[in-house]
Every structure is written in structure tokens, then in C-alpha cells.
């Protein structure tokens, strides 16, 4: 008897589930209470399933729909939330100023669940089913690489925030919002060496740790199948810095204790961890357990908040940035920048985003949106090739990175404004290069 | 010297995985249940530890007052469910896999997928260690090793010295014979599953003391924990501890001698070899 | 049944050709083609998994390894080396198949690596491969590989149509293989392995060979399908490839759809993929794992047979409801989106699957009136021929020793069975009777000594080869294949016996063996539905269906009441009259006295006495060792 009841319950549950999720597809939520412009890819977007794709509804007053995914859940969700908020803010300001081509802009944002395998199908869906007018790239290098072939197949222009693997970004109509130049694998180690040179010989040995995934391994070792490619491993010795330990580790690595012992024994002046997320935190704590504190630390792409949370142990740690809202920098920039930074901090706090500072990630996001908007205005339409051509010929004027130009010969990676930031007190401070610095580079301790 | 420190750090790290493996191994060996929900309990206990410690300012260790009884009940309830539906060994694997992915998603929806770390103020252990000569024993994993030894010794004593323990052993070997001897296997099974849940709570408390919480941690644990269960021998509690220490020490050594990326290759190749040549584990029990 | 299966496969093939063409005519949005490509990918992957894990029961967590080898073969050969894409896809399939065969060579030789241990072994493989891919810069090195857009044949104007057609071809290949296997000995061998591998081997199924075929096919399909997926993805990375997504989804899909049927995984793929798609596009991403997990738990607890089993109870009703709801919702414009209409139609149809009752489905169709096959059941009295051959030794065991660890179960036993004899093998518990039966049937080799049948040494032969030489056995506790009907249990033995027949011929021939033991009336029952006596008769029918020259009956009468015993004795007599020599291991001396032409008494691993029943029964040593302890057994 109870078995039959259970089966009935299962039946009902299944039917309800399917009915529920099927039934909800028709709703489109726009501009919610907290300014969310996320729209479900409602099937209402294409009521006539046999309609031909249309991107030529000029002047019709219909909104221009920008499709894209971000990692709203999963491993990249923390950063995904920053990009979502930055994008929301940009779209609101754009619409408040009259939109694009006189039309309102709507952002159709899907969740890729931090899973690279979801990216291509979702962009296919956005373009072919939802028939969005424009697309915005996802977050994280592998995801952007996955979205790129789709954009290329449909001839859509793809602005993107954060792809580091410049040589692989071969589609002529992808435009980076965060550029470390065409050769990040050469630029970053050289910039580090420049900064170290200024310390008058305080640093001579380096321990190198590398997360063996896309962007970080590229900076450490260059392109995988070319040992001659510029890389941290090649350039630092050329610049007179001896690499005394070279430790690659897999993503998801947990056993930091033994690695910390190895780093301690290498006894380098600089511990350089080309890692992601909280790996630098784990390493610092493991080294603390061994009563070891390296004279100087550098972390390539850390989650910014948790490192600040370590307090004294992380003081002086260096990283890369294209923008930090340090007071001296804000004073030099357009007052709008301060407005954006303050609004972001307020809304990030309200949305319980753990790290509320509008810094390099948010700035990269803002850049990408500006590139898209200026491309559309330059082309006078939402035609992918038109936007692409316009950007190639006139470049873009970016609030956070100034005037930039795009050269397809170097995959559109513009001359970088990237610098080094350092934990000083309770905030990240731009310290290098000196012309954009808000503080002074602090040398090794002890 | 560095090799010694790496082996010690690795072995201590392995003891945390041994603690995670303990409950899984017991349930598998004695209840014939492969309970992937064990990882869900560890994860939930980890987040509860984080939540309780940060909201009350208590030491994370103190939170086991709440999490251990809770996970005891959860573990027992899951076992009651398996009993109620007469779930087979293989089906328990599938069902608990379902429970695990549900938990991962629920935890994500509650605590977000962001990294969660215990603040330094309430978790001083993260950066502490005990020094013996020039060797350092990191506090978070030293705590894990301590709890692991206590739980393993207790389980071994209970299994060998008490009537209930011997009854469980009989039950693990032959259900029908055990039933014929008048053992209430349901009650014993539920109690054992509860105890496994309690051990999950302790592992869940220990993890955030040394590490960073993210909801997809169970998928990173599964490989290493099963490696330890198999190498230790299914249902062999002391073997589980030895296997944890061994796997940890090997990982640590491989990491410093070659690279950390080589460790999973070595550990899982070892698992395959062990399955082929020593399917009962590396540390056979007396008379087994 | 057969027509329906072909119908489905042909339908898919037609859709493959037609859809891209129709799309041009009607401007059918590209998205639906992409959606269908997704379903086709998962149908191929889950069908591939099901051939190994559903058919043979060797549960694998390693689908990601086969998939990943395919992905990386395509990435390296096509993406980096510039080989043509289809050569790379075939090479990917081969590479993945080789991985499968390598795993099989290690795992399938060892009895200890069955069940959960095999599952865990397969769990370790993707970890090793991921680590290897990350370590080797020639494979990946950790940065991922970009795969260029391949040049599609000119008749497919767009890349998505190309992916659709290629995915469809792979899925069609996978489904056809699964379908053909289910209809032939290759599938049935796997079913018997799933139900009881030892029994299957003893009936003459070369289990190792068939398991290798299964894992090879699984690898081949998963590899090709992974290679096509890599083309579609355009970028592959270690983390994106060797994660738990593929193993998780193929398991959920196959379990939901049903693991026993070729179409089950495909049905599961349609359901899960559609559901996931609607969840994601409805803004319920945060629920997708919860829903998947709940499906897995509920289906395992309440309907472990899966949806397909339900649909097969009411095939036309299910199909009708699905089509009516789907077309109704879509064409009448209630649902503008066909995927939503599909999701609703699937949901409604699923309810049908869970309504209990309906036509009870049988594995075996009604046995046709076709020509009786050339597999004459031994119903005639062939005693005359047998007598002519009498006194020719059939089975000769010489000085057989078997030790388990330190225990010596047999300490040097010699025994001869002549053609036409019925030898009673008796002895107290632990005297070594069953051990001797196990050694003769090849279940394990003797520690020393020699055993030969008709002059051929059989020591070291695997049981299926021993069976093919002409030795069959029964088990004390009957071990029928529980998922097969009584008739199909016997048909299985014929299919893999000494004169193998095809599936349909075997089913027809099975009737005659069932007649011989008097079970023809229960031919379409499942073993769970018949009583112990009938299961023991089934054991005998199945054993003689392999057409043995020697039958080992291991306590075939244990636990029966007197009436049943008399019936069983009559069946054994009939079997012997048909020309089969028999070794009868038995406790009941009354039975042995009635049947045996000669008796061998074992005690503590040694032969105690041997001779005619009347003589042996009076041997004081026998009385002391055996009869004295079981005085009640001599009562009648």
C-alpha cells in the first residue's frame, strides 16, 4: 500500500517538476528591485518559431538585447558576481543616458555554472534561439576560449573581460577588456623584473610556483608545446634573478604542507606564485606553520579579499592590476570614476558580495562593455562585422584604461596599462610602474 | 631533511583524509552500504562549523557539541532509509550519489560558491605548528591526526572488545548467520551509521580549520578518500589510518622529489596496483 | 518487438537526413538542431556506458576516461597535427577502445575485481589520465587546446548541421550496436554475466571474451562521441574533460531510462537533457543538481527498472499519449516553443510508466511454429547405444589434491566414471564432495593431480571450455538467471552449449528440455515465481541443454519433500536414459541406492570406499565414518 502511495508521489513530483520548469520559461524578468537586468531566455523572445534571425530592426524602438553568460554558481561564482554587478551598473547608466542608437539595452544573462562545457551550447542558444543582437563574453580564460568559436561561426563581435592566453585568442572580432599586451608571458615577468630592479639588489633569488591551468601555466612556462616561448622561467634568469625552485601543482591542490617545506628550504628572496583563487592564502598559512615568512611574495591572480583577510601575514604581497581605486588615482581621474566606485561598493555590500572594492576585475568588465557600446555607436548598427570594423579602425576610449587601439595582427590585445599592486595596511595599493603608482613599492622584509 | 618534513606534513594531511575515510569504510565493511552521502555530511558539518564559529565567536572545535549529535542523527536516518527500502550495495552507491549532489547544490544556494575561510581571530590554529627539533607539525593537521587516532583506536576497541562490536563483525561476514544468533542487526546498523555520521561531523569540523570551504569539495575528496578506503582494506579501521598516513606521506614525498602534479598520478596508479594485487588492502587483518 | 526496434532506428536515420534539409525549407531555428545534437551526444554516451555497465553489470565510473581519450585524440590529431577530422575521430575511437581493452585485460581476469571494486577501479582511471595529460606537454600541459572549425562537406551549409549529422551518425551507430547485441548471443552473454557470472561460465559462456567485447565497444563509441564533442566545443581543457560530469550524467540517464533495454539510456538522455535545458533556460540553474539528484534517488527507490520498463508494458499507449500531447501543445499553438512542449509531453508520458499493472511483459515472445531446430532433445531411450560403449572410461581423476590456504580439502582422490554410469558420490559434510565437483567443472584448478574427460586433460581449462568438452553441473542452491524467464534460462545454455544455436532457435529448442524435466508449463515464468523444486528441475534442464556427456548433480534433491523427491528421481532416470553419464552428489542414501550403479564414499578428503551400492553400504568403515553419524538417514 505504502509503495503504491510512494509511486504516486513520485509520479506527481515528476510531472509537477517538468510542468513547473516548462511553464516558467515564458517569463522575462527585467530590471528587478535591485537593478537586475537579467532576463530569462524567454521563449517569448521568439514567439514565431519559424522566424528568420533578424538583427536589422533599426529604429524600431525594440530593445537591443545583449546575450552572455557568467559563472553565477560554481567555482568562479565569486568573480562572476563582480562582473554581473559591474555589467548591471553599466547597462543602467547606458540606458539612463539614452541607450544605444536610441534604443534601450537589455542584458540577457545566463549562468554557465562555472562549467566550460556549458559555454558553447549556451552561446549557441543565445544567438540562434534567443536571437540576441549582441554578445558579451563570459568570465575566465577557458570559458572565453569556449565562447570564441561560437561567436566566430555566427560573425558576432565578442568583447571579453579577462582572457590571458592572448596567442590563442585568434578570432579577429574578439576584443579584450583587460589586456596584458599581446605577450603577457613576456610582459608580466619583465614588469616584475623592472620592479625588482628598483629595489637595488634586495632580491636576487626567486621560488616559482605554478598552477597548471590555462592562464597561470602560460605566464610561467609560455605556450605549452614551445620551450623557447618567453616565460617567467626564461626571462627572470635573463634579467639576473635566479630561480631556485620551480614547483608546478595541479588545480585543486590541497597538500600545501610539503610544498611550503620545499619553498622554505629554497630560501628565496621572492616567492612568486602564479596561482588562482585562495592558493596564495593556503601557501602563506602553510609557510606560517613552518615559522617561515618569505621576504617578498607575489601572487598572480588571487582572490583579492581573502589575502587582505590574512592581515599581517600577507603584508607586502604583490599582484597585478589594471585599476585600484586608491585615493591618489581617483583624484587624477574623471569624477565619474569615483561615482562608479562608490556606487559599486554600496551595491556590492547590499548584495553581500564579499569583496566590495571596484578593482581590476570590475574595471575589466567596464572596459569590455565600453568597447561594445562604442563599437555599436561607431558602426551605427548591431551588425557584428560592422562593430568589428569600427573598433579596428577607431579603437575605443576607456574610462579606466584610456584610449586604446586594436590590431588584429596581435589578436587585438592593446598596449597594456597593467601595473603591480601591493598589500599595504588594509588595502591593495598600486605601486608600479611609478608614473601610475599611488604608493611606494615596499621591498623585502627581514 | 626536506624530504622528512614533506613526509611528515603529507602524512598528517593524510590523517584528515583517513578520518573522512573511516566512516565510509565502516559502513561499507559492516553494513554493505557505499554511502557517498558521507561526503555530504562532512561538507555540511564543515559549513555548519564555519557558520556557528563565525556567528558565535566560539572556537571551531567547540562546534562539535552541536554538529556531532546532528550528524549522528542524519547518518542514522539515512541508514534507516536504506533498511526500509532494502537497498543493495550498488544501489546505495547510486542513491547516495543523488543525496550528495543535492547537498552540494543546497550548500551552494545557502553559502554561495565563494571561498569561505574561518577568520584568523577565531581560528588561530591555521598558522600554528608544534616544533620538534627542526621538524614542524602543522596544528590543523596535527589536530586531525589526534582525532583520527582517537576515533580509530576507539572503533577498533569497540569492534574487538564489546559484544556489539563482535556482533557487527559477525554481521559483516554473514548476515544470515548473524541474524540466527539473535542480533538485532537493524539497531546495530543504525547505531554504526550514526557513529559514522558523527565521525563525518568531526572531519567536517577539522577541514575548515586548515582549509578553504567551497561546495564542490566532495568531488575533490572522493578520489583520495576511496584510495585510502581501498588501500586500507574495506572495514579495516586501523588499516584506514595507516593507509591515510601512507598516501599522505607518499603524496608529500612525490611533491618535493618530483612535482605536486605527479602526486595524483602516483597515488592512483598505486590504487590500481593495490586493487589488482592486494584487493583486501595493504594491511590484512589477523585471520582475515 | 523487433519491428518496433528497427522502426525507431530507421526513424532516427530518416530524421538525420531530413532535418537539415527541412530546416532550409522552413527556416526551422538552428537552436533546435543544436538541442537535438546535445540529445544525440548524450544518447551515444549513455548507450555506450550501458553496454558495459547495464548489459554486463560491470558498473563503471570511468566513462569520463573513455570520453576524455576521445576528446584529446581529436584535439591532438586534428587540432594540433592537422590530420583530417574523420580520421582523427576514428583514431579517437580506436584509442579509447584500446584503453578499454587494457583495463579489461587487467580487471576481467580477476574474480576479486567484480562489483564495487571494479567500479572503484574505473573511478581511479580518469584521475590518472587527467594527471598524465597535465604532466605531458605533448598532450596538454595544463593550458588546454584550441580546435579549429573543421571543413564540413559542401552539402551541409553550416557547422551546426555538420555537428548534428555527425553526432547523429555516432548515436545511430551506438543504438544499432546496442540493439543488435540485445537480439544476439553477444548481448545475452552479458546478461548472463550480470545475473551470475560463475554459472554463465559453467554453462559454456566464454565470459572473459564477452566482457572484453563489451568494454571494447563501450570505449569505441565513447571515444568517437568524445571526439565529435571536442569538434563542437572548439576548446578542450583537462578540468573540463576529466571531471565527473560525463560519468554522472550517463549514470543518471541510464538509470532513469532503464539499464536492461537498448533504448533505455536514450530515453533517459531525452528526459534528462530536456529537463536540464528547461531548468537552465527557465532561470532555475540553482536547482538542476537538486532535481537530478532527486530523480536518481526516487527512481532507484521506487522504480529501479527505469522508464523504459514502464513504457514497454503499454508501448502504444505511451507513444500515443506522447505524440498527442506534444503535437497538440505545439501545433495548436498552446506552447510556442517545441522544447517546452516536448518537456511537458515527456512529463505526461512518464506518468504512464509509473502506473503499475498493465500487460506483463516477457523477455521471450510466444514461441513460433517454425521448424524445430536440429538440437534434438534427448527424450528417446538411447540406453542401447550407451550399453555398447559401456566400460569405456569417460572421466578419469587421478590423485587429485586441493588445499585452501592451509586446509587440505582433498588429499589425493582418484575416481573413474565410465560411459553410461551413474556414480553416487557420498560422504559426510566437509568430506570434499563439492570441492571435487568444483575441480571437475573447472571452477578452480586442483593443487596437484590430473583430471581428464575422454582422454583429454582438462586441468587449467576455464569452466566454459570444460563445458564445451561435455561436462555440465548443477548447484546445490539453484542459481538461475533471475532476469530471464525459465525458457530463456534454458535457451541461454543452448546458445552457448556444445552445439550453439541462434536466439530464436534456442528458444524453440528449449521447450524440449523443459518437457524432459516436466517444466514446460512454467516456461514463461521468471525464476522468482517458481518453487524450489521447480528451480532445481530448471537447474537440470539448463545443464543438459548444453548437451553434456557427463552431468554433475550437486545435491540436486536437497530440501525437497518425498513426493518431489520421487519426481526428481524419475527425471534423473530419464536424463540417464538419454545417454548422459551422471555423478550424483547426495545426502539421501535412499536416493543413491535407488539410482546409482556404483558409489564412491569420501571422508576427510580421501576415498573411503568404492563399489556397488549394496556392497559399500555394508562396509564397516563406511558405517563408522558416515552411516554411524547419520543413523536416521538409513531408516528407509
Amino acid at each position: 500500500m505504502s509503495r503504491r502511495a510512494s509511486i504516486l508521489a513520485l509520479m506527481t513530483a515528476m510531472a509537477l517538476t517538468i510542468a513547473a520548469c516548462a511553464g516558467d520559461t515564458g517569463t522575462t524578468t527585467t530590471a528587478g528591485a535591485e537593478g537586475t537586468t537579467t532576463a530569462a531566455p524567454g521563449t517569448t523572445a521568439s514567439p514565431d518559431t519559424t522566424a528568420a534571425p533578424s538583427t536589422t530592426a533599426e529604429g524600431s524602438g525594440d530593445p537591443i538585447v545583449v546575450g552572455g553568460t557568467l559563472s553565477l554558481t560554481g567555482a568562479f561564482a565569486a568573480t562572476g558576481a563582480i562582473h554581473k554587478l559591474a555589467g548591471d551598473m553599466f547597462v543602467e547608466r547606458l540606458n539612463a543616458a539614452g541607450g544605444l542608437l536610441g534604443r534601450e539595452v537589455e542584458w540577457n544573462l545566463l549562468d554557465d555554472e562555472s562549467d566550460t562545457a556549458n559555454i558553447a551550447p549556451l552561446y549557441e542558444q543565445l544567438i540562434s534561439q534567443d536571437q540576441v543582437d549582441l554578445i558579451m563574453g563570459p568570465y575566465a580564460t577557458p570559458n572565453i576560449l569556449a565562447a570564441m568559436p561560437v561567436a566566430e561561426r555566427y560573425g558576432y563581435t565578442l568583447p571579453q573581460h579577462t582572457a590571458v592566453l592572448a596567442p590563442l585568442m585568434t578570432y579577429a572580432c574578439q576584443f579584450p577588456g583587460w589586456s596584458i599586451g599581446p605577450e603577457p608571458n613576456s610582459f608580466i615577468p619583465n614588469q616584475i623584473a623592472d620592479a625588482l630592479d628598483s629595489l637595488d639588489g634586495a632580491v636576487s633569488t626567486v621560488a616559482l610556483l605554478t598552477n597548471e591551468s590555462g592562464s597561470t601555466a602560460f605566464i610561467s612556462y609560455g605556450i605549452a608545446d614551445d620551450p623557447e616561448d618567453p616565460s617567467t622561467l626564461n626571462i627572470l634568469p635573463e634579467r639576473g634573478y635566479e630561480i631556485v625552485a620551480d614547483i608546478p601543482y595541479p588545480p585543486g591542490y590541497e597538500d600545501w604542507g610539503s610544498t611550503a617545506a620545499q619553498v622554505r628550504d629554497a630560501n628565496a628572496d621572492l616567492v612568486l606564485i602564479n596561482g588562482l583563487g585562495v592558493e596564495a592564502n593556503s601557501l602563506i598559512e602553510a609557510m606560517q606553520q613552518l615559522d617561515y615568512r618569505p621576504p617578498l611574495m607575489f601572487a598572480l591572480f588571487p582572490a583579492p579579499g581573502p589575502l587582505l583577510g590574512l592581515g599581517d601575514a600577507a603584508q607586502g604581497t604583490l599582484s597585478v592590476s589594471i585599476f585600484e581605486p586608491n585615493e591618489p588615482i581617483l583624484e587624477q581621474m574623471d569624477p565619474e570614476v569615483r561615482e562608479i566606485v562608490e556606487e559599486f561598493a554600496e551595491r556590492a555590500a547590499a548584495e553581500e558580495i564579499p569583496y566590495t572594492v571596484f578593482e581590476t576585475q570590475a574595471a575589466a568588465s567596464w572596459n569590455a562593455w565600453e568597447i561594445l557600446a562604442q563599437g555599436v555607436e561607431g558602426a551605427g548598427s548591431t551588425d557584428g562585422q560592422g562593430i568589428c570594423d569600427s573598433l579596428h579602425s577607431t579603437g575605443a576610449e576607456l574610462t579606466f584604461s584610456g584610449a586604446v587601439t586594436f590590431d588584429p595582427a596581435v589578436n587585438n590585445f592593446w598596449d597594456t596599462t597593467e601595473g603591480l599592486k601591493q598589500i599595504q595596511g588594509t588595502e591593495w595599493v598600486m605601486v608600479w610602474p611609478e608614473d601610475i603608482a599611488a604608493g611606494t613599492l615596499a621591498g623585502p622584509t627581514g | 631533511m626536506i624530504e622528512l618534513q614533506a613526509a611528515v606534513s603529507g602524512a598528517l594531511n593524510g590523517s584528515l583524509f583517513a578520518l573522512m575515510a573511516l566512516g565510509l569504510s565502516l559502513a561499507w565493511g559492516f553494513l554493505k552500504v557505499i554511502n557517498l552521502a558521507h561526503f555530504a555530511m562532512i561538507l555540511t558539518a564543515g559549513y555548519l562549523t564555519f557558520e556557528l564559529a563565525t556567528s558565535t565567536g566560539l572556537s571551531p572545535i567547540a562546534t562539535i557539541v552541536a554538529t556531532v549529535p546532528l550528524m549522528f542523527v542524519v547518518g542514522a536516518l539515512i541508514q534507516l532509509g536504506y533498511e526500509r527500502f532494502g537497498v543493495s550495495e550498488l544501489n546505495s552507491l547510486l542513491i547516495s550519489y543523488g543525496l550528495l549532489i543535492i547537498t552540494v547544490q543546497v550548500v551552494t544556494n545557502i553559502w554561495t560558491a565563494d571561498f569561505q575561510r574561518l577568520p584568523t581571530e577565531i581560528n588561530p590554529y591555521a598558522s600554528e605548528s608544534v616544533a620538534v627539533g627542526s621538524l614542524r607539525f602543522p596544528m590543523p593537521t596535527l589536530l586531525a591526526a589526534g582525532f583520527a587516532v582517537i576515533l580509530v583506536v576507539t572503533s577498533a576497541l569497540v569492534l574487538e572488545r564489546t559484544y556489539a562490536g563482535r556482533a557487527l563483525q559477525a554481521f559483516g561476514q554473514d548476515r544470515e548467520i548473524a541474524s540466527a544468533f539473535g542480533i538485532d542487526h537493524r539497531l546495530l546498523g543504525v547505531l554504526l551509521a550514526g557513529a559514522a555520521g558523527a565521525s563525518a561531523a568531526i572531519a567536517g569540523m577539522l577541514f575548515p580549520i586548515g582549509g578553504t570551504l567551497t561546495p564542490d569539495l566532495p568531488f575533490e575528496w572522493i578520489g583520495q578518500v576511496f584510495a585510502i578506503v581501498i588501500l586500507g582494506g574495506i572495514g579495516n579501521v586501523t588499516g584506514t589510518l595507516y593507509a591515510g598516513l601512507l598516501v599522505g606521506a607518499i603524496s608529500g614525498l612525490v611533491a618535493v622529489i618530483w612535482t605536486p602534479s605527479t602526486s595524483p598520478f602516483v597515488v592512483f596508479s598505486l590504487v590500481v596496483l593495490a586493487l589488482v594485487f592486494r584487493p583486501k588492502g595493504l594491511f590484512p587483518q589477523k585471520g582475515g | 518487438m523487433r519491428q518496433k526496434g528497427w522502426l525507431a532506428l530507421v526513424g532516427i536515420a530518416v530524421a538525420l537526413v531530413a532535418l537539415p534539409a527541412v530546416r532550409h525549407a522552413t527556416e526551422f531555428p538552428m537552436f533546435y538542431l543544436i538541442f537535438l545534437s546535445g540529445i544525440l551526444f548524450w544518447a551515444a554516451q549513455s548507450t555506450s556506458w550501458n553496454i558495459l555497465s547495464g548489459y554486463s553489470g560491470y558498473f563503471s565510473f570511468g566513462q569520463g576516461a573513455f570520453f576524455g581519450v576521445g576528446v584529446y585524440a581529436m584535439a591532438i590529431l586534428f587540432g594540433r597535427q592537422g590530420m583530417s577530422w574523420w580520421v582523427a575521430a576514428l583514431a579517437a575511437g580506436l584509442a579509447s577502445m584500446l584503453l578499454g581493452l587494457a583495463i579489461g585485460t587487467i580487471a576481467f581476469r580477476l574474480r576479486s575485481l567484480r562489483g564495487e571494486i571494479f567500479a572503484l577501479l574505473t573511478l581511479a582511471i580518469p584521475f590518472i589520465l587527467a594527471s598524465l595529460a597535465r604532466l605531458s606537454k605533448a598532450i596538454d600541459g595544463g593550458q588546454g587546446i584550441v580546435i579549429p572549425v573543421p571543413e564540413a562537406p559542401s552539402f551541409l551549409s553550416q557547422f551546426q548541421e555538420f555537428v548534428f549529422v555527425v553526432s547523429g551518425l555516432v548515436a545511430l551507430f551506438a543504438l544499432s550496436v546496442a540493439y543488435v547485441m540485445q537480439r544476439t548471443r553477444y548481448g545475452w552473454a552479458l546478461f548472463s554475466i550480470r545475473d551470475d557470472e560463475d554459472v554463465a561460465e559453467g554453462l559454456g559462456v566464454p565470459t572473459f571474451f564477452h566482457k572484453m567485447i563489451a568494454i571494447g565497444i563501450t570505449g569505441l563509441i565513447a571515444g568517437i562521441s568524445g571526439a565529435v564533442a571536442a569538434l563542437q566545443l572548439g576548446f578542450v581543457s583537462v578540468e573540463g574533460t576529466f571531471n565527473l560530469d560525463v560519468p554522472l550524467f550517463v549514470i543518471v540517464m541510464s538509470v532513469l531510462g532503464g539499464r536492461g533495454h537498448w533504448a533505455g539510456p536514450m530515453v533517459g538522455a531525452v528526459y534528462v537533457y530536456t529537463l536540464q535545458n528547461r531548468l537552465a533556460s527557465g532561470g532555475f540553474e540553482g536547482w538542476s543538481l537538486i532535481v537530478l539528484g532527486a530523480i536518481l534517488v526516487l527512481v532507484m527507490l521506487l522504480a529501479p527498472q527505469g522508464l523504459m520498463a514502464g513504457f514497454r508494458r503499454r508501448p502504444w499507449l505511451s507513444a500515443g499519449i506522447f505524440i498527442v500531447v506534444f503535437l497538440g501543445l505545439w501545433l495548436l499553438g498552446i506552447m510556442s516553443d517545441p522544447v517546452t512542449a516536448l518537456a511537458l509531453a515527456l512529463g505526461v508520458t512518464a506518468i504512464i510508466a509509473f502506473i503499475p499493472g498493465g500487460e506483463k511483459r516477457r523477455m521471450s515472445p510466444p514461441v513460433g511454429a517454425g521448424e524445430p531446430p536440429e538440437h534434438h532433445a534427448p527424450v528417446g531411450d538411447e540406453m542401447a547405444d550407451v550399453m555398447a560403449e559401456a566400460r569405456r572410461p569417460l572421466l578419469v581423476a587421478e590423485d587429485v589434491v586441493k588445499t585452501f590456504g592451509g586446509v587440505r580439502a582433498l588429499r589425493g582422490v582418484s575416481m573413474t566414471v565410465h560411459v553410461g554410469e551413474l556414480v553416487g558420490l557420498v560422504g559426510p559434510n566437509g568430506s570434499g564432495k563439492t570441492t571435487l565437483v568444483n575441480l571437475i567443472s573447472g571452477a578452480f584448478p586442483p593443487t596437484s593431480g590430473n583430471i581428464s574427460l575422454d582422454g583429454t586433460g582438462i586441468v587449467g581449462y576455464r569452466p566454459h571450455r570444460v563445458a564445451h568438452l561435455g561436462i555440465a553441473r548443477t548447484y546445490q542452491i539453484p542459481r538461475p538467471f533471475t532476469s530471464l524467464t525459465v525458457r530463456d534460462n534454458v535457451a541461454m545454455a543452448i546458445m552457448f552449449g556444445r552445439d550453439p544455436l541462434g536466439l530464436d532457435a534456442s528458444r524453440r529448442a528449449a521447450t524440449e528440455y523443459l518437457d524432459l524435466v516436466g517444466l514446460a508449463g512454467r516456461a514463461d515464468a521468471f525464476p522468482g515465481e517458481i518453487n524450489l523444486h521447480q528451480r532445481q528441475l530448471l537447474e537440470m534442464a539448463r545443464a543438459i541443454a548444453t548437451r553434456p556427456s557427463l552431468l554433475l548433480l550437486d545435491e540436486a534433491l536437497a530440501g525437497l519433500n518425498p513426493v518431489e523427491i520421487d519426481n526428481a528421481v524419475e527425471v534423473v532416470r530419464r536424463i540417464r536414459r538419454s545417454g548422459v553419464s551422471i555423478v550424483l552428489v547426495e545426502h539421501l542414501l535412499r536416493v543413491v541406492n535407488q539410482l546409482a550403479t556404483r558409489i564412491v564414499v569420501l571422508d576427510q578428503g580421501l576415498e573411503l570406499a568404492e563399489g556397488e551400492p549394496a556392497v559399500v553400504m555394508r562396509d564397516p568403515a563406511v558405517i563408522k565414518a558416515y552411516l554411524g553419524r547419520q543413523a536416521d538417514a538409513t531408516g528407509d
Side-chain angles (χ1 to χ4, degrees), chain B residues 4-24:
Chain B
L4 186 59
Q5 178 66 53
V8 166
S9 295
L12 289 177
N13 200 42
S15 71
L16 176 59
F17 286 101
L19 196 52
M20 293 182 184
L22 179 65
L24 200 65

Side-chain angles (χ1 to χ4, degrees), chain A residues 2 74-75 77-78 212 247-250 252-255 257-259 261-262 264-265 277-278 281-282 285 288-291 309 354, chain B residues 2 5-6 9-10 13 84 113-115 117 120 126-129 134 136 138 140 207 212 217 220 251-252 255-256 259-261:
Chain A
S2 74
E212 288 198 299
I247 307 170
Y249 58 87
Y253 186 54
E254 291 283 352
D255 186 12
S258 43
T259 300
Q262 201 178 1
R264 180 192 65 181
D265 277 30
V278 291
N281 281 57
S282 304
E285 284 184 348
Q288 277 183 297
Q289 290 159 3
L290 301 178
D291 291 336
Chain B
I2 164 117
Q5 178 66 53
S9 295
N13 200 42
R84 162 74 180 75
D114 200 6
F115 306 110
R117 296 175 69 87
T120 323
S127 56
E128 287 177 356
S129 62
S134 60
R136 292 287 185 286
F207 185 83
T212 306
L217 278 171
E220 286 171 24
S251 294
V256 299
T259 70
S261 292

Side-chain angles (χ1 to χ4, degrees), chain A residues 273-288:
Chain A
I273 173 166
N274 283 343
L276 302 167
V278 291
E279 289 161 2
N281 281 57
S282 304
L283 177 65
I284 290 174
E285 284 184 348
M287 290 190 301
Q288 277 183 297

